[in-house]
Amino acid sequence: MLFFSCTTLIGQSYQSTPKKATLVIEGKNVAGYEVYIEFPVEQVNKSFWKYAKGFGHLENRKSYYKVTVPPAEQEFSETILYGKPKANGSTTIFGLAPELGDDQENQNVYLEQVKMILLEFKVDTYMKDFQEKINDLTKEASKLSKSHQKLLKKGELYSKKNAATLSRLQSIEKQIGDYRQQQIVLLSLLSPSSQK
């Protein structure tokens, strides 16, 4: 590996994987990848900021991000990545490209790493969104469960209010199960067999 190992196991819409693209950074064309993310650009920007801080130094350059990645081994130099968000209605197309400088001979190796980083970033974004929804539903279920217990103590086992509470609890349980299943699918996107 030429510049670093990024092994975050987290967020992704399974509708698209990273596709080759050319990013325009300060008037220069830079080869990289881009991916479609079903969230508003502001949310994707915030997510990328948090994600990239885990492996590099980030600079916000208004229309793009510059990420300086320290070398994983002494014989290599730092790597510069450019992240470029583009609003696509209420969704985002996010591009990522390496600055190769004089190292054009290793372009394909760098681009494959960028592709994996972009996929991991997308998976991370979706996983965190699903987890937030699961946390919110869990809090709601806790409140409903307490309400159900109070109704039972009052002897209102067969009341309409208790039936509605139990129905909502079942609905929450199903929603949480669905989100967990989506998280499993997302994580499978990062397995070596899905990269072929």
Side-chain angles (χ1 to χ4, degrees), residues 154-171:
K154 290 180 182 178
E156 297 182 29
L157 176 64
Y158 301 106
S159 70
K160 287 183 180 181
K161 186 173 182 180
N162 193 43
T165 299
L166 290 174
S167 176
R168 179 64 186 141
L169 281 168
Q170 288 174 334
S171 172

Side-chain angles (χ1 to χ4, degrees), residues 142-194:
S142 177
K143 289 177 184 176
L144 287 170
S145 181
K146 288 175 186 172
S147 173
H148 170 68
Q149 292 302 318
K150 286 179 184 177
L151 289 170
L152 288 179
K153 285 181 182 178
K154 290 180 182 178
E156 297 182 29
L157 176 64
Y158 301 106
S159 70
K160 287 183 180 181
K161 186 173 182 180
N162 193 43
T165 299
L166 290 174
S167 176
R168 179 64 186 141
L169 281 168
Q170 288 174 334
S171 172
I172 288 172
E173 183 179 6
K174 182 184 178 329
Q175 286 177 287
I176 289 173
D178 290 346
Y179 287 133
R180 294 236 185 264
Q181 186 60 40
Q182 290 175 2
Q183 287 179 317
I184 291 167
V185 171
L186 289 171
L187 289 174
S188 73
L189 292 173
L190 298 177
S191 73
S193 61
S194 71

Side-chain angles (χ1 to χ4, degrees), residues 64-80:
Y64 68 93
Y65 294 102
K66 180 179 178 182
V67 185
T68 304
V69 183
E73 299 176 25
Q74 275 188 328
E75 62 265 16
F76 298 112
S77 60
E78 67 183 19
T79 300
I80 305 295

Side-chain angles (χ1 to χ4, degrees), residues 35-190:
V35 71
Y36 173 79
I37 302 177
E38 297 168 344
F39 296 112
V41 72
E42 298 81 20
Q43 184 176 347
V44 173
N45 285 342
K46 212 186 271 188
S47 183
F48 184 72
W49 187 263
K50 290 177 184 175
Y51 177 77
K53 284 178 78 172
F55 59 83
H57 171 73
L58 221 64
E59 295 175 43
N60 185 344
R61 299 284 182 101
K62 302 276 187 229
S63 65
Y64 68 93
Y65 294 102
K66 180 179 178 182
V67 185
T68 304
V69 183
E73 299 176 25
Q74 275 188 328
E75 62 265 16
F76 298 112
S77 60
E78 67 183 19
T79 300
I80 305 295
L81 299 176
Y82 297 110
K84 189 165 185 174
K86 183 171 45 176
N88 184 35
S90 63
T91 62
T92 305
I93 295 175
F94 194 88
L96 191 65
E99 180 181 271
L100 297 174
D102 297 332
D103 197 6
Q104 294 295 321
E105 67 186 54
N106 290 314
Q107 180 177 14
N108 289 338
V109 174
Y110 280 104
L111 286 174
E112 280 305 307
Q113 289 182 358
V114 163
K115 180 180 179 182
M116 188 61 192
I117 292 167
L118 195 53
L119 178 61
E120 287 178 348
F121 163 61
K122 187 174 179 181
V123 169
D124 184 70
T125 301
Y126 280 86
M127 288 291 284
K128 286 181 177 168
D129 181 69
F130 289 146
Q131 192 58 51
E132 204 172 285
K133 289 175 180 172
I134 288 169
N135 293 347
D136 290 345
L137 287 169
T138 302
K139 286 177 189 173
E140 182 184 351
S142 177
K143 289 177 184 176
L144 287 170
S145 181
K146 288 175 186 172
S147 173
H148 170 68
Q149 292 302 318
K150 286 179 184 177
L151 289 170
L152 288 179
K153 285 181 182 178
K154 290 180 182 178
E156 297 182 29
L157 176 64
Y158 301 106
S159 70
K160 287 183 180 181
K161 186 173 182 180
N162 193 43
T165 299
L166 290 174
S167 176
R168 179 64 186 141
L169 281 168
Q170 288 174 334
S171 172
I172 288 172
E173 183 179 6
K174 182 184 178 329
Q175 286 177 287
I176 289 173
D178 290 346
Y179 287 133
R180 294 236 185 264
Q181 186 60 40
Q182 290 175 2
Q183 287 179 317
I184 291 167
V185 171
L186 289 171
L187 289 174
S188 73
L189 292 173
L190 298 177

